[in-house]
Amino acid sequence: MQYAVLAPFLTALVVPFLFRYIRAIHTGWLILPIPFGIFTYFLSQLTNISEGHNQHSMVQWVPSLGMNFSFYLDGLSLLFSLLISGIGTLVVLYSIFYLDKNEKLHNFYVFLYIFMGAMLGVVLSDNIYALYLFWELTSISSFLLIGYWYERQASRYGALKSMIITVLGGLSMLGGLILLSIITGTTSIREMIAASDTVLESPYFTGILVLILLGAFTKSAQFPFHIWLPDAMEAPTPVSAFLHSATMVKAGIYLTARLFLLFGGTDIFFVLVTGFGLLTLCWGSYMAVRQTDLKAILAFSTISQLGMIMTMLGFGTKEAAFAAVFHIFNHATFKGSLFMVAGIVDHETGTRDIRRLGGLMTLMPISATLAFFGAFSMAGVPLPIFNGFLSKEMFFKTSLDLETTSTLAASIAPFVPALAVFGSIFTFVYSMYFFFHTFTGKTRGELKVKPHEAPIGMLISPIVLVLFVIIVGLLPNMINEPILTPATAAIYGELPDKHIVFWHGFFEPALYMSMIVVALGVILFLTRTKWQSVYNWIPGVLSANKTYDYLYNMQFRVSEKTTRTYMTGSIRHYMLYILIFIIGATGVTLFVTDGFVIDTSDLAPISWPEVAVGLVMAIAAIATILMKNRIAAILVLGIVGYGLSLLFVFFRAPDLALTQLIVETVTVALFLLCFYHLPKLDTKKQPVGAKTLNIIVSVSVGVLVTLVAIASHSSKKFETIAHYFIEESHHLGGGNNVVNVILVDMRGLDTLFEITVLGLAALGIYAMIRLRDKEEME
Amino acid sequence: MRSNDIILKTTSAIIVFVILAFSVNLFLAGHNAPGGGFIGGLMAAGAFILLYISFGLKTINKILRVNFRYFIGAGLLIAFLTGVGSFVFNQPFLSHTFGYFHLPLLGKTELATAVFFDLGVYLTVIGVTMTIILTIAEDRG
């Protein structure tokens, strides 16, 4: 099984070489067998799975962190694997005729195969980290595919948008999964489901659910995250057919279904999933009627259908789970074929604008037939040849008998059927609009190309898909036993006892609902021009896209503004930040920890020469600030240095005193040398506010350092190690000068690096001055 | 205007040797009395600077044909090799030892390997100080 996931990735590696060296044959032909092989492999697993023998295989990755490529094949993942590899094969076949050999085929197939492998990984992974890895890989490869014609601005915009939104959700999903694994102590989804009691009792339950659902909703384009899907239609049509109708957008559905056993049946799950699902269903179908681009209609239709599947998953009943699985299958077939037909129309007429199309029925009879089956199945027209009707009927039926457990859920439940009917009416309208407006009536406007029927190769894939629409519509129980039943069992945990029948009898309310949908749908479709102005009221000027664009631009403006506010480029300001932070952090710590203590028991006596020197130093230090002349300031500062060396003498540190004396002399001399070249001290008056702030900050720093010094002197926690040095210096180091022995012997390493620092400083000065001169000369 | 500062030159010529001697004294005495490589080095640099101040850059450069930048490298190398040397005796980096020897003229004398390290410090400090000051002094000079 791991080879099935690995194969597309390996193919992606080889594709560029095939494209480079075998130019005579379209690259697509060479790699077509790969998805087909995977498809047959999964087909061969059908009997195993329906008999309940689930497959499991594992490749270790980072076992110490619980990260493994652990693959698990049960009914649900088998259904998705079949869809991915099956539709993948058809899409590759279709793309061979859709894309010219002059296109950047190597890019296209690499991205497509990476996506295929990632998608298989998502649906087969049992390990949450592997799941997340593949999840993000689908986001990235989808980003690359949407931006396939990267020279177009709209492609780049759509790619970026989808990337931002799906990665946002992906990250939040990762958060939820990590929380789950912390609570349950495992990284395997199956073991998590087994430990579902722990999860339900956990205080993080709501958080986990919201985080994971955010991931599922963004990926599956649920309201209000649906906005990326219409913009993703900038991708080549095979991509739209594959990713944005059949596979990737169902990853969120898959995740919700996969974790259904963990969350399903709880109130919050019902409210969130059903609520957002219904909202998406109604909004998507309502907005689809407004679109003028064939692919945009299909995009909104996908959004709406995904909302419908989500709604069914939210119901939490066994019948609803079965209906959801059924509709996942049906939607993949008819939506895939519709996208391919839209691509054919685009390819053969040069436009996708529905306002310029019409009357293509006689010119493109096969495409028209295919579109007829796809669109009518999508609309749920009650005829047994359309599989869409069967699952939609189940949707109505399950929406009528909801088991509600709490008042909140019970207060919502009665509205569900009404909203479902509302959404389905618009679904009917846009399906009719899609078909009749493109293929009947008169040709509108001048088309760039003279329309004619597509080559047979392009038609094979939609024909296969439409055959499924019809066959499943006629004989739904053919896929019931091998595919739908195990998938439902995997979602719900129990085997459904479902026999799909077309005819429920006269007194089924679900049938009446379908009738209402068709009747109202026909009326609305015929009077479409009369009520279309309703879109000026709802949504009117409001749109999620505008919100997205606003937020997107806003973040740049806000962050730029923020950065400009504090990154002024003035060193004075940066010093202020640093010092204020030090005052804040240290001061608060001192205050909070009660760190300030005064212990006067261990103080040395003070003699008057020390006081005198200290006073002189203090006066000199204050005078330095007030000096108007640079040279004078340096000289006065020198007093402080010499005073310090005097203090060293008083405190019996001859080495320090000597060093300080010489170093002070050298620095004063160097200062004088440098400042000689500088212009006169800038006596520009600083504003009073800034000056006051300077004074406050510097006084606070002084006070704080004093306090810290007193406090640390007063709280000596350990014996000093000085005694050791004094005792051992002669014995071990062979010297009586303890300071020197410490410097060269006991802690010679410090000295070694200090002289290195000195050396570097000298070379730095040399380089700075000499190299500057050389540059100036050049 | 060229002034003939003969007093400065004469006294410098004598004092320089006093300072140099003092610097060597500080350096050698460092292990047992205040002093050591750092102060000694600074002191020696002071002596050289006095020479430069009294006699001018050109004159001294002719007499002292020394490139003080090499002092930095030499000093660092000596200090480092002293540290590495302890590996030869299977000791950790920068282990020092000392001993008492009877030397002609000096009698019983303490000799310590730490002095080599200090020598490195001494040379580096001379090199650093002289490089900095001469570089700045020669700038646009």
Side-chain angles (χ1 to χ4, degrees):
Chain A
M1 192 175 356
Q2 58 267 40
Y3 299 109
V5 179
L6 193 62
F9 291 112
L10 290 180
T11 318
L13 274 181
V14 190
V15 163
F17 297 101
L18 293 177
F19 178 72
R20 180 94 168 68
Y21 295 109
I22 310 181
R23 296 305 304 257
I25 310 168
H26 195 288
T27 316
W29 286 118
L30 301 170
I31 51 177
L32 184 61
I34 304 290
F36 188 70
I38 300 172
F39 181 67
T40 40
Y41 165 75
F42 283 116
L43 268 187
S44 71
Q45 298 296 318
L46 267 178
T47 44
N48 266 337
I49 300 297
S50 59
E51 281 164 17
H53 305 301
N54 293 341
Q55 312 279 314
H56 181 238
S57 79
M58 181 156 97
V59 183
Q60 289 206 326
W61 179 23
V62 191
S64 55
L65 294 176
M67 295 183 186
N68 292 306
F69 289 109
S70 157
F71 297 118
Y72 184 68
L73 186 69
D74 61 1
L76 184 64
S77 30
L78 183 65
L79 166 70
F80 275 93
S81 306
L82 283 173
L83 285 180
I84 293 160
S85 50
I87 297 185
T89 315
L90 296 176
V91 160
V92 172
L93 180 67
Y94 177 78
S95 70
I96 293 170
F97 295 92
Y98 186 84
L99 290 173
D100 198 66
K101 257 201 282 186
N102 300 326
E103 290 272 2
K104 305 176 286 279
L105 288 179
H106 49 313
N107 290 357
F108 181 78
Y109 286 114
V110 167
F111 301 159
L112 195 72
Y113 275 63
I114 290 176
F115 171 79
M116 200 185 290
M119 198 63 213
L120 282 172
V122 166
V123 299
L124 290 170
S125 284
D126 183 46
N127 188 289
I128 54 164
Y129 295 113
L131 174 74
Y132 175 73
L133 174 82
F134 289 120
W135 185 277
E136 291 299 24
L137 261 181
T138 63
S139 293
I140 292 168
S141 49
S142 159
F143 167 79
L144 292 169
L145 283 167
I146 297 169
Y148 174 65
W149 285 308
Y150 49 77
E151 61 279 3
R152 297 184 191 167
Q153 206 265 333
S155 290
R156 299 196 299 269
Y157 173 78
L160 190 63
K161 194 177 191 176
S162 79
M163 180 79 158
I164 289 175
I165 293 177
T166 51
V167 167
L168 172 87
L171 277 176
S172 97
M173 182 192 87
L174 178 67
L177 289 176
I178 288 175
L179 273 177
L180 261 184
S181 89
I182 290 172
I183 291 169
T184 54
T186 168
T187 52
S188 152
I189 293 173
R190 273 181 302 153
E191 287 169 31
M192 281 175 185
I193 289 171
S196 84
D197 293 339
T198 339
V199 179
L200 287 176
E201 285 159 15
S202 151
Y204 302 117
F205 177 74
T206 315
I208 293 172
L209 182 67
V210 170
L211 284 176
I212 291 184
L213 282 185
L214 192 63
F217 284 0
T218 50
K219 198 78 162 179
S220 283
Q222 299 294 296
F223 189 87
F225 307 109
H226 64 280
I227 47 172
W228 67 265
L229 190 59
D231 283 304
M233 291 303 130
E234 290 302 325
T237 305
V239 173
S240 308
F242 189 33
L243 274 69
H244 306 126
S245 72
T247 54
M248 187 175 94
V249 288
K250 293 216 174 78
I253 302 274
Y254 167 80
L255 188 74
T256 317
R258 176 55 80 203
L259 296 175
F260 182 84
L261 281 176
L262 210 52
F263 304 123
T266 59
D267 244 21
I268 179 158
F269 182 82
F270 172 79
V271 171
L272 283 177
V273 178
T274 306
F276 277 95
L278 273 177
L279 195 58
T280 314
L281 163 66
C282 296
W283 187 252
S285 60
Y286 173 71
M287 288 299 286
V289 185
R290 189 195 196 186
Q291 309 304 318
T292 53
D293 179 3
L294 285 184
K295 280 173 82 175
I297 297 176
L298 293 177
F300 275 101
S301 145
T302 304
I303 292 168
S304 140
Q305 303 276 326
L306 292 168
M308 178 173 151
I309 300 171
M310 268 300 180
T311 313
M312 288 190 268
L313 284 174
F315 286 168
T317 57
K318 202 195 296 179
E319 282 73 28
F322 184 82
V325 169
F326 195 23
H327 200 69
I328 288 170
F329 183 89
N330 293 343
H331 176 248
T333 54
F334 66 69
K335 191 52 66 65
S337 67
L338 281 177
F339 264 110
M340 289 172 184
V341 169
I344 290 171
V345 169
D346 184 15
H347 208 262
E348 305 304 332
T349 63
T351 181
R352 291 196 319 243
D353 193 332
I354 200 160
R355 289 167 299 190
R356 297 175 57 198
L357 293 168
L360 293 177
M361 180 112 71
T362 46
L363 297 166
M364 306 168 74
I366 305 175
S367 308
T369 317
L370 297 173
F372 168 77
F373 281 106
F376 277 61
S377 176
M378 180 159 77
V381 173
L383 281 176
I385 44 170
F386 305 122
N387 58 2
F389 165 69
L390 298 170
S391 44
K392 180 152 286 183
E393 184 92 333
M394 280 186 203
F395 172 52
F396 288 148
K397 196 162 158 19
T398 50
S399 74
L400 285 170
D401 36 45
L402 283 175
E403 300 160 7
T404 48
T405 44
S406 78
T407 46
L408 181 63
S411 58
I412 296 175
F415 298 105
V416 174
L419 284 170
V421 169
F422 175 82
S424 302
I425 292 171
F426 280 97
T427 307
F428 186 88
V429 175
Y430 72 69
S431 304
M432 296 304 114
Y433 177 52
F434 179 87
F435 176 71
F436 286 110
H437 221 266
T438 315
F439 292 101
T440 62
K442 274 186 268 177
T443 320
R444 295 171 189 81
E446 281 298 304
L447 294 172
K448 266 182 270 174
V449 208
K450 195 172 155 47
H452 53 84
E453 188 56 85
I456 182 68
M458 220 174 193
L459 290 167
I460 295 172
S461 302
I463 287 174
V464 172
L465 286 172
V466 164
L467 280 179
F468 266 104
V469 170
I470 300 168
I471 293 168
V472 172
L474 286 172
L475 307 161
N477 289 306
M478 198 184 71
I479 59 162
N480 182 355
E481 190 70 19
I483 298 177
L484 301 182
T485 307
T488 315
I491 296 179
Y492 197 73
E494 289 169 34
L495 277 176
D497 41 356
K498 191 79 186 168
H499 187 72
I500 310 171
V501 284
F502 169 67
W503 187 246
H504 289 281
F506 270 116
F507 302 105
E508 276 297 326
L511 184 67
Y512 297 138
M513 285 162 80
S514 288
M515 291 302 176
I516 293 170
V517 167
V518 174
L520 283 178
V522 169
I523 294 170
L524 277 180
F525 174 65
L526 293 176
T527 59
R528 198 167 43 83
T529 43
K530 302 221 168 67
W531 55 269
Q532 256 199 338
S533 56
V534 75
Y535 288 104
N536 298 332
W537 299 92
I538 305 171
V541 287
L542 291 171
S543 90
N545 263 322
K546 278 188 187 146
T547 318
Y548 167 83
D549 288 336
Y550 176 74
L551 286 176
Y552 183 79
N553 293 323
M554 200 60 181
Q555 55 152 348
F556 288 112
R557 253 180 291 153
V558 169
S559 55
E560 201 179 311
K561 219 173 174 181
T562 321
T563 313
R564 280 217 185 120
T565 325
Y566 74 96
M567 299 298 277
T568 52
S570 152
I571 294 182
R572 202 184 85 84
H573 289 159
Y574 301 156
M575 278 307 289
L576 269 181
Y577 306 149
I578 296 170
L579 291 177
I580 289 174
F581 177 78
I582 291 174
I583 296 168
T586 323
V588 169
T589 313
L590 208 61
F591 184 74
V592 170
T593 58
D594 259 337
F596 184 66
V597 269
I598 298 184
D599 178 14
T600 49
S601 65
D602 193 25
L603 294 184
I606 305 173
S607 65
W608 71 265
E610 290 163 16
V611 176
V613 172
L615 266 178
V616 170
M617 283 169 74
I619 292 167
I622 293 170
T624 314
I625 307 170
L626 302 175
M627 285 293 161
K628 296 285 179 212
N629 182 304
R630 276 210 174 93
I631 307 289
I634 293 160
L635 292 176
V636 176
L637 193 64
I639 298 178
V640 180
Y642 291 123
L644 185 64
S645 104
L646 254 182
L647 280 184
F648 282 141
V649 173
F650 292 150
F651 295 149
R652 287 175 294 169
D655 288 275
L656 286 184
L658 273 172
T659 315
Q660 170 67 25
L661 204 63
I662 302 175
V663 167
E664 186 62 34
T665 313
V666 173
T667 42
V668 168
L670 285 177
F671 264 133
L672 289 174
L673 252 179
C674 299
F675 280 33
Y676 179 75
H677 295 289
L678 286 179
K680 278 248 169 69
L681 192 64
D682 193 6
T683 46
K684 192 178 69 185
K685 280 267 190 252
Q686 277 187 327
V688 184
K691 215 168 185 176
T692 324
L693 188 64
N694 284 355
I695 293 172
I696 293 173
V697 168
S698 46
V699 168
S700 324
V701 170
V703 170
L704 192 76
V705 172
T706 314
L707 288 181
V708 170
I710 295 175
S712 51
H713 182 266
S714 304
S715 49
K716 280 180 181 154
K717 301 242 161 116
F718 305 101
E719 194 69 16
T720 100
I721 57 163
H723 304 297
Y724 170 81
F725 287 128
I726 292 168
E727 278 159 23
E728 300 293 327
S729 136
H730 184 80
H731 172 62
L732 286 178
N736 290 326
N737 182 349
V738 183
V739 175
N740 197 272
V741 170
I742 292 174
L743 282 179
V744 300
D745 197 337
M746 309 244 188
R747 295 206 181 138
L749 199 63
D750 291 359
T751 313
L752 182 61
F753 286 114
E754 273 154 23
I755 56 176
T756 314
V757 168
L758 281 179
L760 287 177
L763 294 180
I765 290 171
Y766 180 77
M768 213 162 68
I769 290 175
R770 284 301 165 87
L771 295 184
R772 184 202 64 194
D773 281 357
K774 271 188 189 153
E775 262 172 30
E776 272 174 10
M777 278 199 289
E778 282 164 11
Chain B
M1 188 186 86
R2 256 186 88 83
S3 60
N4 189 2
D5 30 33
I6 184 141
I7 300 179
L8 175 67
K9 285 181 180 171
T10 318
T11 40
S12 301
I14 303 164
I15 286 176
V16 161
F17 288 102
V18 177
I19 300 176
L20 277 178
F22 181 51
S23 129
V24 173
N25 174 49
L26 276 176
F27 163 63
L28 288 176
H31 223 45
N32 288 304
F38 197 83
I39 304 165
L42 281 175
M43 206 54 102
F48 292 126
I49 287 167
L50 184 59
L51 278 182
Y52 277 102
I53 291 174
S54 336
F55 295 97
L57 275 173
K58 278 183 191 166
T59 324
I60 300 301
N61 277 344
K62 257 180 227 162
I63 301 166
L64 274 178
R65 294 184 175 277
V66 186
N67 189 343
F68 285 104
R69 288 197 300 284
Y70 292 149
F71 275 50
I72 303 174
L76 285 176
L77 195 67
I78 292 174
F80 183 70
L81 285 180
T82 315
V84 174
S86 55
F87 288 148
V88 178
F89 305 98
N90 214 6
Q91 294 290 317
F93 187 66
L94 266 180
S95 305
H96 290 304
T97 182
F98 62 94
Y100 296 94
F101 302 93
H102 282 282
L103 294 180
L105 288 174
L106 295 170
K108 187 187 172 193
T109 315
E110 180 201 353
L111 289 181
T113 50
V115 173
F116 291 113
F117 187 75
D118 235 6
L119 180 68
V121 177
Y122 184 76
L123 291 178
T124 313
V125 171
I126 294 178
V128 166
T129 320
M130 294 312 293
T131 307
I132 294 176
I133 289 179
L134 288 184
T135 312
I136 295 175
E138 284 167 11
D139 184 32
R140 293 177 190 175

